[in-house]
Amino acid sequence: MIKTAVIAVLVFSAALPARAERLWLVIGASDPSAAALARKTKTLALDTPDSLVVQTSDCGDKKNFYAWVAEAATSPEAAHAALRRVRTAARDAYVKRCDTQPGTLLALRITAVDASIADVPETAVNWQENDRISTVRPLPDGRAIVIARYFAKVKDDPLEGRRERVILAESSDKRRVLEENCPSPGRVAMRHGRVAFHCVREEAADNLIHNVVVFDTTGEKLAEIKRCRNPKWLNELVIECEEESVGPDGQLKLRTIRSSPLPPLPSATSSHQAP
Amino acid sequence: MSVLQASVGVKGKNLEDDVQTVQSLLKSKGYDPGPVDGVCGPDTIAAIRTFQATFLARPDGLIEPGRKTWVRLSSSGGASTTPDLTQWSGDSAKWTQEKKLQSLHPELRPKVVAVLRALEQRGFQPKIYYGWRSVAVQLQLYFQGNSKVKFSFHNAQKPNGTPNSYAADIIDSRFGWSPGAEQSGFWKALGEEAKARNLTWGGDWVSFRDWAHVQLVPNSELARVKQESGL
């Protein structure tokens, strides 16, 4: 009985408060294209550092568009006060009522389109619309993994500055960056709050080569397993993944390997049940 | 069609006109026989050997009329006004070394040949895995999740559709991309030889390594190369 209660408290405390919430969004600009909105709002965003881009599907709208939100107010009064301020810079600003969907970027107050996206050169060859839009993956324990896509202005970059930051989000104000750049992050494997996933790190013939990264429940990095994909937890201390090797024929060969034992779980969480 | 009257190369007759013909053809295929002067010196012989290494197990440095090396050298060396695109079809990773070299941009070709030669001299067994790769193949790789780009320097082509790759992937034929390539020092040597010839090396790309990749121009020129390709 006591054990059940402890588990319930732990799970509840870790759960993401990404519940349905009524907001009034003060929208200064909108566009169906993330790229176009980023360019449109580049100067607006400079004067409003707390602004964020919202995809209206996060409000449950069937037809999605991207909205530059100067303020996400919790009351209509606060929203209309903000609207007067915003209209000095964006004359067509308006207020939209939004019933925030749980587990969305908006629930976490994370922008759907990073401000850096505005700086992607128009001549960029390999940028697609999806490369400009951040996404969220809810985890079974109530937390979430956010893939924040952004542009890094790096000279002669092979990916033209395309980057994917992986963030572990527990709430709208409790986040931790797990990987500053993890191209094409794979499915998240989770055990006792520990998470593991793969990132693309290399290219070999017609194959992408990955590293598996492993994090503690707090987001502390525990291990990075080179040239491996599709991690799975065998138990809370050992991970299994598919080791990648490409020979002279260009063919990818996969071999299942097990990681070295990871540090044991802290005793406080050792009674935490696997999700 | 070029004509060869007598043998050229090691212990060959080395008639001046024949040597000039061979030197011109070698140059047109991206090899460096030195100046086209009709003198069969060490550079010319080295170029013949390198060319032969793309299809012979034991290059002998000799070209004789009607024999295999001459047939290969003279077959597609001349300029053609109407490109035969069918010859550039199929899996370009499985093309012969000679054909892969031919698929490279004319300024990249001699540099790649020089890199291959230098690596051989360092005891490696280098070969080109990819020269040109079609846009269709690139898109297939992209949509299958096997590439991060829809257009790469490998896809560069002339406006008439014939290959003009700005990049080549070079591996050691014993290792490919397996750990042996790093342990033997092959990647490091490839990087050194490529950069010594002002090529960009993918092993230097911290955000996304491409160890086998060498490239004629910096990444910032991708848009220009795509436009030049008529794409």
Side-chain angles (χ1 to χ4, degrees):
Chain A
M1 180 67 183
I2 292 170
K3 190 178 175 186
T4 309
V6 169
I7 293 164
V9 167
L10 286 169
V11 170
F12 181 76
S13 62
L16 196 69
R19 61 192 183 280
E21 179 188 16
R22 178 157 293 177
L23 293 174
W24 283 264
L25 307 178
V26 183
I27 296 176
S30 59
D31 201 287
S33 151
L37 184 77
R39 283 195 294 272
K40 205 185 274 188
T41 58
K42 187 176 178 180
T43 50
L44 291 172
L46 289 175
D47 298 333
T48 322
D50 292 333
S51 63
L52 71 161
V53 174
V54 170
Q55 45 195 352
T56 56
S57 57
D58 286 1
C59 302
D61 291 7
K62 283 186 182 159
K63 190 176 177 189
N64 185 54
F65 64 88
Y66 296 93
W68 178 77
V69 172
E71 189 160 326
T74 52
S75 72
E77 294 77 20
H80 282 97
L83 181 63
R84 283 191 289 276
R85 292 194 303 274
V86 174
R87 277 193 171 152
T88 58
R91 281 179 53 198
D92 297 332
Y94 63 98
V95 173
K96 172 184 169 64
R97 197 182 76 179
C98 170
D99 288 325
T100 310
Q101 301 299 293
T104 59
L105 288 170
L106 176 57
L108 290 165
R109 303 292 194 278
I110 292 179
T111 189
V113 181
D114 191 88
S116 64
I117 296 297
D119 297 323
V120 176
E122 295 206 26
T123 54
V125 169
N126 285 307
W127 276 81
Q128 310 299 318
E129 179 77 346
N130 285 346
D131 298 322
R132 295 171 162 92
I133 303 163
S134 298
T135 49
V136 61
R137 300 178 191 172
L139 294 175
D141 67 356
R143 297 182 296 172
I145 290 287
V146 174
I147 317 297
R149 299 189 170 84
Y150 66 103
F151 169 66
K153 196 170 185 177
V154 179
K155 192 170 183 285
D156 287 323
D157 186 72
L159 298 176
E160 297 176 297
R162 271 182 296 160
R163 296 287 184 271
E164 293 176 83
R165 183 182 292 124
V166 179
I167 300 165
L168 180 63
E170 292 193 21
S171 64
S172 58
D173 58 0
K174 195 171 178 191
R175 303 167 197 165
R176 178 154 184 176
V177 174
L178 301 183
E179 281 290 316
E180 192 55 38
N181 183 30
C182 172
S184 304
R187 192 184 66 82
V188 177
M190 195 176 158
R191 184 94 169 214
H192 291 274
R194 292 179 160 181
V195 294
F197 52 90
H198 66 224
C199 308
V200 169
R201 294 291 191 228
E202 298 174 20
E203 185 166 345
D206 293 342
N207 309 285
L208 293 175
I209 303 297
H210 308 77
N211 285 6
V212 166
V213 283
V214 187
F215 297 89
D216 205 348
T217 185
T218 60
E220 192 73 35
K221 192 181 231 180
L222 296 175
E224 179 151 354
I225 308 165
K226 286 194 169 182
R227 297 185 183 138
C228 224
R229 62 169 68 175
N230 299 329
K232 287 178 192 149
W233 290 95
L234 276 189
N235 55 52
E236 66 269 25
L237 302 181
V238 180
I239 282 209
E240 200 172 77
C241 58
E242 296 168 314
E243 187 184 56
E244 303 163 317
S245 179
V246 178
D249 60 357
Q251 297 299 307
L252 173 70
K253 290 188 179 68
L254 297 174
R255 184 176 69 103
T256 302
I257 60 163
R258 290 177 181 180
S259 69
S260 308
L262 299 167
L265 289 162
S267 55
T269 55
S270 59
S271 61
H272 207 152
Q273 279 200 333
Chain B
M1 180 75 182
S2 305
V3 175
L4 195 68
Q5 293 176 35
S7 56
V8 171
V10 177
K11 296 180 183 172
K13 288 199 171 178
N14 293 322
L15 302 175
E16 188 175 345
D17 285 352
D18 286 343
V19 175
Q20 276 189 2
T21 300
V22 166
Q23 287 170 330
S24 298
L25 288 171
L26 285 168
K27 266 193 188 296
S28 74
K29 288 182 181 290
Y31 298 88
D32 182 14
V36 181
D37 55 8
V39 177
C40 189
D43 286 346
T44 303
I45 287 171
I48 295 169
R49 284 186 193 275
T50 307
F51 171 64
Q52 288 178 317
T54 63
F55 56 91
L56 289 181
R58 291 182 182 175
D60 59 8
L62 181 66
I63 301 175
E64 295 173 276
R67 303 295 296 269
K68 192 170 186 177
T69 303
W70 174 245
V71 171
R72 290 236 177 192
L73 186 64
S74 60
S75 62
S76 57
S80 171
T81 50
T82 310
D84 176 12
L85 295 180
T86 56
Q87 69 168 310
W88 300 110
S89 60
D91 182 352
S92 60
K94 293 189 174 138
W95 289 350
T96 63
Q97 290 293 293
E98 184 195 347
K99 192 166 174 181
K100 288 174 184 175
L101 271 175
Q102 281 303 303
S103 74
L104 304 182
H105 186 284
E107 287 176 40
L108 176 60
R109 206 177 300 143
K111 293 187 179 200
V112 166
V113 168
V115 168
L116 293 171
R117 192 186 296 171
L119 289 169
E120 280 167 1
Q121 284 167 359
R122 290 169 72 155
F124 296 107
Q125 295 176 21
K127 71 167 192 177
I128 304 170
Y129 183 82
Y130 260 130
W132 183 73
R133 188 164 64 214
S134 73
V135 174
V137 168
Q138 187 68 38
L139 288 173
Q140 195 180 6
L141 291 173
Y142 178 83
F143 287 115
Q144 285 170 345
N146 289 328
S147 174
K148 290 294 293 172
V149 296
K150 284 171 117 173
F151 179 83
S152 95
F153 285 101
H154 285 286
N155 309 136
Q157 60 186 45
K158 294 173 190 159
N160 65 10
T162 55
N164 194 33
S165 176
Y166 275 68
D169 288 349
I170 297 172
I171 58 171
D172 185 302
S173 57
R174 295 166 296 180
F175 311 123
W177 288 261
S178 68
E182 186 176 357
Q183 288 155 8
S184 67
F186 179 75
W187 294 140
K188 185 169 176 281
L190 173 61
E192 287 167 358
E193 297 298 344
K195 288 186 276 186
R197 288 157 185 86
N198 289 323
L199 295 175
T200 296
W201 176 49
D204 282 335
W205 297 338
V206 178
S207 62
F208 183 61
R209 306 267 189 202
D210 195 348
W211 299 104
H213 185 95
V214 298
Q215 191 174 289
L216 184 62
V217 293
N219 287 316
S220 54
E221 294 198 32
L222 188 63
R224 179 191 65 76
V225 169
K226 188 178 180 203
Q227 192 176 30
E228 180 187 281
S229 300
L231 296 167

